[in-house]
Amino acid sequence: MTSNDDYILEILENVGLVTREQAVAARQLAAQEDERVMDVLAREGVASKLDMLKALAGQFGMETITLTGLDISREVLDMVPGDVAQRYKVVPVFKHDNVLTVALGDPLDVDTLDGLRYVLKCNVEGVVAPPEEIEKAIANYYGRATGAVEGMLQEITEGTLALPDEVKNQLVADENVTESDAPIIKLVSLIIMEAFRSRASDIHLEPMPKKFRVRYRIDGVLHEVDSPPKRLQSAIISRVKIMANMSIAEKRVPQDGRIQINVMGRDLDLRVSSIPTNHGESIVMRILDKAGIALGLPQLGFFSDDQQVFERLITLSDGIILVTGPTGSGKTTTLYACLNTINKPDRKIITVEDPVEYQMGGINQVQVRTDIGMTFSAALRAILRQAPNIIMIGEIRDLETAEIAVNASLTGHLVFSTLHTNDAPSAVTRLIDIGVKPFLVASSVRAIMAQRLVRRICDKCKEPYVAQEAELRLLGPAASQLASAQLFHGKGCADCSFTGYRGRLGIYEIFLIDDQVRNLIFDQVTSAELRTKARELGMRTLREDGVRKVVAGITTLEEVLRVTMGDSN
């Protein structure tokens, strides 16, 4: 039962659709079964959903329409990108005198229209349509991924699904597959393949009270696709766990596994994580494309000046180079690109990772296994006896690991690692907080680079636009860089699934540790003082680097603001 349900029942009573007794009974049922009262009333046959929607819409002066059979022009559809339609659960229906009218399923959701006005930068009015019609319209009008699972389910039900060769081979190879299992195997395999075709980095299988939600993370943003029936939840989760060599009998504790699969001629690794929730096990599959990791520094999004600085840093003979940022900001990809660049026959490179995400030729990769005592620190002590030139540590998490990394850097090794801090100067104080002595931090760290990922504008539907005053105010001092710039955004097209974006690149903040900075570290100044000194010495902030890429027409102001909202400069 939701917080609006009492208000809905009051309106429905006032217009005579339900009696007092029916309202009380519906309220009790909704609370017991964790449902909305409108769903309960419709299920019990008290009132139809359409009649209830009309009554609610009338209270707010809104019209009610049906989307079935409505012909919506492509011009109107292009005004709302696919990801916006998915996020707000709306469908644009027509435009008149610079006012866009959208259909939404909940007339009480006033925040949706306000949010759309800000995101779309135009006047938006609402009409009400049944939620199931809105979901169907989104599936029909926007993108391949949205309707993919629905199509799979229909084909599985009708028994007409044409399997790709790789799925057929998997079915033949699995001796334990019965006839009743085959549809589930088809569905799971096709969910994975559709995610790959959609350029997704993650697949989320999430049990909800009344549904089994499937979402793909594409270019860092989650997109919900049509969900399989709730009755298939247990079978789908079991199939994924079998593929990942996880225990299907154990449902009380988190588990990790791995799936290796060939999709469209590409070898993929899927890192699988399960965790028990109130309504079943939640599964996340991280798609690791082996071909996609063979990146060099130019593909990461460096401008030439930053690339030259970073190329000089990664060819140093010793010291620590840290990459910082939150989870999902591309730190591991940057480290792999560094190793690809400096991976030469005359250098021995060893990595210590948890887990080893990608197998790289010519590099010795060590997997951390805490269950048998193979921790970061234990692995690091052992690999130092292997006489490496370059060491990559997946993450510095504790004092013991940090001290070994510092000692390795001071004895002639070049060490790469990551830390979870929001900006580059904060990494210094983070190491000191962990317990590393300030003089050791100053002596060993050569540079710290903070990074974020922003989405690239789709080249197929790129067009000029004018920034809004609100965006420029949020940007602060960096807005001066946009005074005479021509800005671009993506209109939305089939190539980018009507999002306006295709692919991602990094924005960077490179903090070089020179003698002046070392003296400040010796004196244990705050990260704010370190940041001020770094700015004086020419460090460009994440937001400033992002604005440079906005001016260059690579990304949008909205993207840069989204990922740098905590940046004060």
Side-chain angles (χ1 to χ4, degrees):
M1 186 165 170
T2 69
S3 57
N4 289 326
D5 281 351
D6 285 336
Y7 183 48
I8 291 171
L9 287 171
E10 183 181 338
I11 293 172
L12 297 179
E13 278 188 64
N14 290 340
V15 299
L17 270 181
V18 300
T19 64
R20 165 66 63 177
E21 292 76 15
Q22 289 170 330
V24 171
R27 185 181 288 108
Q28 290 174 345
L29 272 174
Q32 288 169 8
E33 301 183 16
D34 194 22
E35 282 188 280
R36 293 181 50 176
V37 290
M38 287 180 63
D39 294 331
V40 171
L41 291 168
R43 190 185 71 225
E44 297 295 317
V46 176
S48 72
K49 279 194 176 180
L50 188 59
D51 287 342
M52 289 186 281
L53 280 175
K54 286 180 180 178
L56 296 176
Q59 293 292 312
F60 295 91
M62 299 172 73
E63 294 182 21
T64 306
I65 67 168
T66 178
L67 298 178
T68 304
L70 185 66
D71 186 20
I72 304 172
S73 73
R74 176 49 60 187
E75 179 186 359
V76 171
L77 288 168
D78 286 349
M79 293 187 68
V80 180
D83 64 331
V84 174
Q86 285 277 11
R87 188 189 328 156
Y88 289 96
K89 300 299 180 194
V90 297
V91 176
V93 288
F94 51 83
K95 180 182 178 238
H96 179 69
D97 290 341
N98 203 33
V99 177
L100 177 67
T101 300
V102 301
L104 66 160
D106 185 358
L108 276 68
D109 187 6
V110 293
D111 292 338
T112 288
L113 295 178
D114 290 339
L116 286 170
R117 291 183 188 110
Y118 175 76
V119 171
L120 301 177
K121 311 295 188 292
C122 69
N123 293 324
V124 179
E125 291 184 352
V127 293
V128 180
E132 56 273 15
E133 289 188 14
I134 290 175
E135 288 183 13
K136 188 173 181 181
I138 291 173
N140 288 337
Y141 289 117
Y142 290 104
R144 183 176 51 199
T146 305
V149 176
E150 182 181 36
M152 293 176 211
L153 288 168
Q154 185 174 354
E155 289 174 319
I156 287 170
T157 303
E158 295 169 356
T160 60
L161 186 61
L163 289 178
D165 288 341
E166 53 264 38
V167 181
K168 286 180 183 175
N169 294 338
Q170 187 179 14
L171 292 178
V172 171
D174 195 337
E175 298 175 356
N176 296 319
V177 172
T178 66
E179 189 175 340
S180 62
D181 292 329
I184 297 300
I185 295 173
K186 296 175 188 178
L187 179 55
V188 171
S189 296
L190 285 170
I191 285 174
I192 293 170
M193 276 184 276
E194 187 57 40
F196 176 71
R197 289 191 188 104
S198 303
R199 302 178 296 104
S201 60
D202 303 270
I203 304 167
H204 294 249
L205 308 177
E206 302 166 315
M208 299 286 136
K210 296 294 179 181
K211 66 187 286 191
F212 183 50
R213 185 165 68 178
V214 178
R215 294 194 289 176
Y216 297 156
R217 188 181 296 279
I218 304 171
D219 293 333
V221 177
L222 282 168
H223 299 264
E224 185 169 351
V225 300
D226 287 327
S227 303
K230 179 75 173 175
R231 60 186 169 80
L232 298 181
Q233 172 182 310
S234 178
I236 290 171
I237 288 174
S238 294
R239 176 58 192 165
V240 172
K241 291 174 73 174
I242 288 169
M243 292 174 71
N245 291 318
M246 296 157 67
S247 170
I248 61 172
E250 182 55 80
K251 300 178 181 180
R252 300 164 301 171
V253 296
Q255 293 187 65
D256 293 306
R258 204 161 193 136
I259 298 171
Q260 292 187 322
I261 191 171
N262 185 284
V263 176
M264 299 166 64
R266 297 273 283 274
D267 288 328
L268 300 183
D269 275 347
L270 276 70
R271 201 174 77 206
V272 184
S273 169
S274 76
I275 190 168
T277 70
N278 285 345
H279 306 290
E281 289 177 282
S282 174
I283 300 271
V284 176
M285 292 180 273
R286 166 71 60 86
I287 300 173
L288 305 172
D289 181 6
K290 293 179 180 180
I293 198 59
L295 298 174
L297 294 179
Q299 288 78 44
L300 297 181
F302 283 106
F303 274 166
S304 56
D305 52 352
D306 284 344
Q307 185 176 326
Q308 288 173 8
V309 171
F310 204 62
E311 283 178 344
R312 179 181 61 82
L313 289 169
I314 65 176
T315 55
L316 293 173
S317 60
D318 58 24
I320 298 176
I321 296 173
L322 293 172
V323 181
T324 77
T327 301
S329 59
K331 300 187 297 296
T332 302
T333 301
T334 297
L335 290 181
Y336 278 127
C338 293
L339 297 183
N340 265 329
T341 303
I342 59 179
N343 186 11
K344 302 289 189 297
D346 61 339
R347 294 173 181 162
K348 177 156 185 170
I349 303 175
I350 303 183
T351 73
V352 184
E353 304 169 67
D354 182 19
V356 173
E357 293 194 0
Y358 299 95
Q359 304 289 337
M360 299 183 69
I363 293 176
N364 301 277
Q365 295 174 272
V366 177
Q367 167 77 53
V368 168
R369 290 190 56 190
T370 53
D371 56 328
I372 59 170
M374 187 66 159
T375 61
F376 270 110
S377 54
L380 280 170
R381 283 194 211 93
I383 67 173
L384 287 175
R385 294 192 287 273
Q386 297 274 314
N389 302 103
I390 297 158
I391 300 168
M392 193 267 270
I393 305 169
E395 182 186 347
I396 294 178
R397 300 178 179 177
D398 52 42
L399 175 58
E400 194 172 9
T401 305
E403 285 180 333
I404 296 171
V406 167
N407 290 333
S409 72
L410 294 176
T411 52
H413 303 84
L414 181 62
V415 180
F416 293 95
S417 191
T418 69
L419 271 179
H420 282 96
T421 62
N422 288 329
D423 63 0
S426 297
V428 171
T429 50
R430 171 69 177 144
L431 286 174
I432 294 172
D433 288 342
I434 286 175
V436 183
K437 293 186 168 47
F439 75 90
L440 290 175
V441 175
S443 304
S444 60
V445 179
R446 296 285 181 267
I448 303 164
M449 184 176 76
Q451 69 175 71
R452 299 289 188 278
L453 291 176
V454 293
R455 292 181 287 176
R456 289 180 184 268
I457 299 172
C458 174
D459 290 331
K460 297 286 179 66
C461 59
K462 187 175 180 178
E463 64 177 14
Y465 89 109
V466 178
Q468 301 293 309
E469 279 296 323
E471 291 179 317
L472 295 174
R473 279 199 303 273
L474 286 170
L475 199 59
S480 60
Q481 299 178 51
L482 303 176
S484 57
Q486 174 63 70
L487 305 186
F488 294 87
H489 69 173
K491 183 179 180 181
C493 65
D495 199 52
C496 61
S497 299
F498 299 96
T499 63
Y501 299 99
R502 187 175 175 88
R504 289 189 290 176
L505 75 155
I507 57 175
Y508 303 98
E509 175 178 288
I510 302 175
F511 180 28
L512 301 176
I513 310 295
D514 63 6
D515 289 339
Q516 294 183 59
V517 174
R518 285 191 187 94
N519 289 332
L520 292 176
I521 296 173
F522 285 140
D523 295 337
Q524 299 188 53
V525 301
T526 64
S527 58
E529 291 173 280
L530 282 175
R531 186 175 181 81
T532 301
K533 172 54 73 174
R535 297 296 308 283
E536 290 173 4
L537 295 172
M539 183 186 81
R540 191 180 293 108
T541 67
L542 287 164
R543 179 168 289 182
E544 288 167 346
D545 190 45
V547 170
R548 287 205 303 168
K549 285 158 186 172
V550 170
V551 172
I554 302 171
T555 188
T556 63
L557 199 52
E558 181 184 5
E559 272 296 284
V560 172
L561 286 170
R562 178 177 69 86
V563 301
T564 65
M565 199 50 81
D567 192 342
S568 57
N569 295 306

